[in-house]
Amino acid sequence: MVDRTGRLGGVLVLAAAAFSLAALVFSVSATASQDRAAQATKQIHVTKDCSGTTGVAGNFCTIRSSNVKALKVGSKIFYLQPAAKTVLNSDTAIYAGPGNIAAGHCLLRFATGVGLCTFSDGTGTLAGFHARVRVTADTSIPHLWHWDGTYSFSNG
């Protein structure tokens, strides 16, 4: 009987050790993933000119300045739904050249001139592009808008 109890105790100790090791590996892996994600998130600052927009589906704004290499000056931001009287609530596509497109959504309230755009993925140079930006109207130049927020590129 001692032999049987000894084996059972050994199995329990081994199981507890394996569980502890698995928990440690998971914890270290999760921390490393969070650290990589935090390091990959950067600030985004974009200025766009919307002087040609009239509120119809397919209108676009043109990027005039950007601190993100993949969002080159001259890239276009297309709004796929028409604007309503008081708000723009539209799926959005950034076109940064052939095959370089990011998909997102923007909500902008005209009364405040403030909005939010989010982007969740892309193709070409914008593959894995994620962004969350606050949209604000320039107070001194008509039709000029600013995007300020964070962005990252995921690997898959």
Side-chain angles (χ1 to χ4, degrees), residues 5-144:
T5 305
R7 275 194 244 163
L8 180 57
V11 169
L12 289 176
V13 168
L14 185 59
F19 179 79
S20 296
L21 181 60
L24 178 63
V25 168
F26 177 78
S27 175
V28 169
S29 175
T31 301
S33 293
Q34 289 173 347
D35 288 345
R36 280 194 300 274
Q39 291 172 356
T41 300
K42 298 178 181 176
Q43 294 295 308
I44 182 173
H45 306 288
V46 171
T47 302
K48 60 184 185 138
D49 175 7
C50 299
S51 57
T53 61
T54 58
V56 300
N59 275 178
F60 64 87
C61 299
T62 304
I63 293 179
R64 294 293 176 222
S65 68
S66 170
N67 70 323
V68 179
K69 185 177 179 181
L71 299 178
K72 297 178 186 214
V73 170
S75 296
K76 309 263 188 259
I77 304 159
F78 287 90
Y79 298 93
L80 307 179
Q81 279 84 34
K85 187 175 182 176
T86 60
V87 68
L88 171 68
N89 188 3
S90 177
D91 290 331
T92 307
I94 300 173
Y95 177 78
N100 305 313
I101 300 169
H105 192 87
C106 290
L107 175 64
L108 173 66
R109 300 201 184 283
F110 298 136
T112 62
V114 176
L116 173 71
C117 293
T118 58
F119 294 89
S120 58
D121 205 353
T123 61
T125 59
L126 294 172
F129 179 71
H130 298 274
R132 181 179 175 90
V133 297
R134 183 173 192 256
V135 181
T136 55
D138 192 283
T139 56
S140 59
I141 303 174
H143 309 292
L144 197 66

